[in-house]
Amino acid sequence: MVVGVLGGGQLARMLALAAYPLGLRIEVFDPAPDACASQVAVHHCAPYEDETALARFAEGKACITCEFENVSLEAMRFLAKQVAVRPAPPVWEIFQDRLLEKQYLRSVGIPTVPFAAVDPQRPDEALEQVGCPCVVKTRRFGYDGKGQRVAQTHEEYRTAVAQLAPHALLVEAYAPFERELSIIGVRSLSGEIAVYPLVENHHRDGILRLSLVPARDDTGALQALATSYITRLLESLDYVGVMALELFQVGEQLLANEVAPRVHNSGHWSIEGAETSQFENHLRAILGYPLGCTAPRGASAMVNLIGELPSIERVLSVPGAHLHLYGKSPRPGRKLGHITLRADSEAERDKRLQQLYQQIGQNVPQLKRDAS
Ligand code: ADP
Ligand code: MG
């Protein structure tokens, strides 16, 4: 059986690697000739507007899925006439647009920071609803912190709006969060749902650097709240596949930041750190197979390798370290790979994490909550 993936980056690559043991094959569609999934999967290299290439891609596929938000909706709708697309195109329409996304979250009772659409003729009206400090974001095409500006004052807000114009914009209140968390859930064709342990995420310059699983210092209340939110999203959308929900923790409250209707960087730890990885469970879900157990195997950390690569020997010298390189050429700010560190206890994981950072010559990130 062959599954088609729109997009041929590292997520498609890891989907392909998870597919082989199940006897499945992946083919990817990506206009970039050097798409890194092409090293492990058949690559259809053509623009998303090329309907002849899309039709050929759809031929013989069990279903089609997608590895990135900003996929062309026209391409998706075109494919959906020929073959099942999971999750379905309407889901992508909502989560491609940060305004529709936040409106949807609110409509199903999931709290978010206050937000408002920016009217380019009267930008001050949106700020009145939200106040300062705030974050101005493009409604579409943002990722890894791109397409957004933090503004402390009214004047900075106006500058941010001018800088990001002419794109359609929204403005959000700046969340005074204690930490960032994410919850990853999966729903299968038959409606079965499974949810992974809550993940604690640390970003720098808008890019995820480190994930810790399970999130520290949770009595179970945060996990229960996050599980109820992701379950509500999966069910209300009749969703099929893996979904990630990014959250801000403010006191005991969780505010939804954004939804990724796909496998997610904060779920990479699950390859070694969970009974079943997010990649395998996504494939199981979209093909209508029973879901795999999402229980953690001990405690894990995931360290992203951004911009440059460390010595392989040094990484592999750390007990419990598993290296994943994506086969991409180094470039500043580019995600080149990740390391999952697994241990039987959080204390042992933290010890190994110190060792790992030492080996790769990076400073241990300042964690707002002390891990020890
Ligand atoms: P993306 O991940 O698509 O680039 P996000 O909306 O998740 O966009 O923003 C990236 C990061 O910027 C977040 O993980 C968070 O650290 C910070 N951020 C975004 N929105 C807010 C906000 N309203 N308040 C505080 N920080 C924010
Ligand atoms: Mg994000």
Side-chain angles (χ1 to χ4, degrees), residues 103-145:
Q103 286 170 341
Y104 187 80
L105 287 161
R106 286 284 182 93
S107 76
V108 292
I110 298 176
T112 68
V113 290
F115 63 91
V118 177
D119 177 345
Q121 305 306 317
R122 290 179 288 278
D124 289 355
E125 285 181 13
L127 190 66
E128 276 162 30
Q129 293 178 53
V130 164
C132 279
C134 62
V135 189
V136 183
K137 297 184 180 180
T138 56
R139 284 175 58 171
R140 299 169 65 85
F141 300 120
Y143 69 98
D144 285 346

Side-chain angles (χ1 to χ4, degrees), residues 63-138:
C63 75
I64 282 181
T65 189
C66 190
E67 64 135 25
F68 68 117
E69 266 97 323
N70 295 316
V71 62
S72 141
L73 283 175
E74 288 72 28
M76 275 216 161
R77 290 197 194 101
F78 178 83
L79 290 167
K81 285 187 230 155
Q82 213 175 315
V83 59
V85 175
R86 298 179 184 133
V91 165
W92 297 89
E93 213 166 329
I94 299 171
F95 299 121
Q96 278 187 355
D97 181 329
R98 291 182 196 275
L99 182 65
L100 300 183
E101 174 174 64
K102 289 223 154 55
Q103 286 170 341
Y104 187 80
L105 287 161
R106 286 284 182 93
S107 76
V108 292
I110 298 176
T112 68
V113 290
F115 63 91
V118 177
D119 177 345
Q121 305 306 317
R122 290 179 288 278
D124 289 355
E125 285 181 13
L127 190 66
E128 276 162 30
Q129 293 178 53
V130 164
C132 279
C134 62
V135 189
V136 183
K137 297 184 180 180
T138 56

Side-chain angles (χ1 to χ4, degrees), residues 44 105 195 203 233 267 324:
H44 298 246
L105 287 161
V195 179
H203 296 78
L233 283 171
H324 297 258

Side-chain angles (χ1 to χ4, degrees), residues 69-70 98 101-102 113-114 133-137 141-148 150 171-177 180 201-208 246-248 255-259 262 264 335:
E69 266 97 323
N70 295 316
R98 291 182 196 275
E101 174 174 64
K102 289 223 154 55
V113 290
C134 62
V135 189
V136 183
K137 297 184 180 180
F141 300 120
Y143 69 98
D144 285 346
K146 292 181 175 64
Q148 48 180 281
V150 176
V171 57
E172 302 174 1
Y174 189 87
F177 60 79
E180 293 190 70
N201 298 315
H202 297 269
H203 296 78
R204 202 173 67 241
D205 304 329
I207 305 179
L208 180 66
E246 296 180 7
L247 299 156
F248 297 135
L255 301 176
N257 172 37
E258 65 170 346
V259 173
R262 54 170 172 79
H264 191 254
K335 288 179 182 169

